[in-house]
Amino acid sequence: IHGVWPDHTDYIMYDCNPNKEFKKIYDKHLLNKLESRWPQLTSNEYAGLNDQTFWKYEYEKHGLCCEKVYDQSQYFDIAMKLKDSIDLLNILTTNRIVPGFQYSYTGDQISSAIKRVTQKDPNPKCTYSKGGLELKEIGI
C-alpha cells in the first residue's frame, strides 16, 4: 500500500486539515497488522513501528480529508481491508505476469488482468528505469 486517498470529482483532496495531527499507534496487534500489509519501506521495521513516519505522512496528507466520515482508526482499517480484498501481486501472478526486469508486459496486459478481478479500470503508473519503463504503482 502506498496510501488510501479520498477522491472528489472536482478537485484533488490532500492537506485538508493542517491543524490536526496523526495520533501515534501503540496497539501492538494493530501495529503488526499494519506492518504486514503496509510496510514503511523507507526505514527498517523497528524504526517504522517506532516512528510511524510514513503512516503519519499519509494520514495527515490524505486521511484527514475524510475525517468527518472516518476517524484515524477507521482510515487504517479501511486501508487494510482494501489490501486484503485486492491482492494485486496474486492477481498478476495468476495471470502469468511476474515481477522482475527479465520480463516485459504491456500496460494493457497488466490493466486487463486487474480489471478481470476488480471490474474497475486500474491506474498503472510507470517510471523510466534502466533504459525502459518500470511499473511503479497501480491505483485502484
Side-chain angles (χ1 to χ4, degrees):
I1 300 175
H2 177 152
V4 176
W5 305 333
D7 197 7
H8 193 283
T9 56
D10 296 332
Y11 55 88
I12 297 172
M13 297 179 74
Y14 60 88
D15 295 330
C16 298
N17 195 342
N19 298 322
K20 288 224 171 172
E21 292 185 356
F22 169 84
K23 296 178 196 97
K24 189 169 183 178
I25 301 166
Y26 292 98
D27 179 296
K28 298 274 188 219
H29 179 68
L30 176 57
L31 286 171
N32 289 333
K33 285 173 38 178
L34 269 169
E35 182 62 26
S36 71
R37 291 169 177 85
W38 192 344
Q40 299 178 83
L41 301 175
T42 58
S43 61
N44 66 44
E45 185 175 340
Y46 175 79
L49 290 171
N50 191 44
D51 301 336
Q52 303 175 12
T53 307
F54 189 61
W55 298 330
K56 176 183 188 308
Y57 173 81
E58 287 299 316
Y59 183 71
E60 288 179 353
K61 183 158 185 141
H62 302 290
L64 285 170
C65 292
C66 61
E67 72 169 333
K68 291 179 181 169
V69 180
Y70 305 110
D71 65 20
Q72 179 176 312
S73 177
Q74 292 168 316
Y75 172 82
F76 286 107
D77 190 50
I78 288 167
M80 291 186 290
K81 284 180 180 173
L82 284 169
K83 167 69 170 116
D84 291 346
S85 69
I86 304 171
D87 185 344
L88 287 174
L89 189 56
N90 184 50
I91 290 169
L92 294 173
T93 55
T94 299
N95 285 275
R96 296 188 177 104
I97 298 172
V98 182
F101 290 110
Q102 66 270 34
Y103 305 106
S104 181
Y105 307 97
T106 67
D108 285 341
Q109 288 173 304
I110 292 168
S111 292
S112 295
I114 295 166
K115 187 173 181 174
R116 276 194 289 278
V117 175
T118 65
Q119 306 302 309
K120 303 287 182 193
D121 288 315
N123 183 13
K125 291 187 174 91
C126 298
T127 187
Y128 280 100
S129 176
K130 299 182 182 177
L133 286 174
E134 179 180 310
L135 182 63
K136 180 179 178 182
E137 67 181 54
I138 300 171
I140 301 288

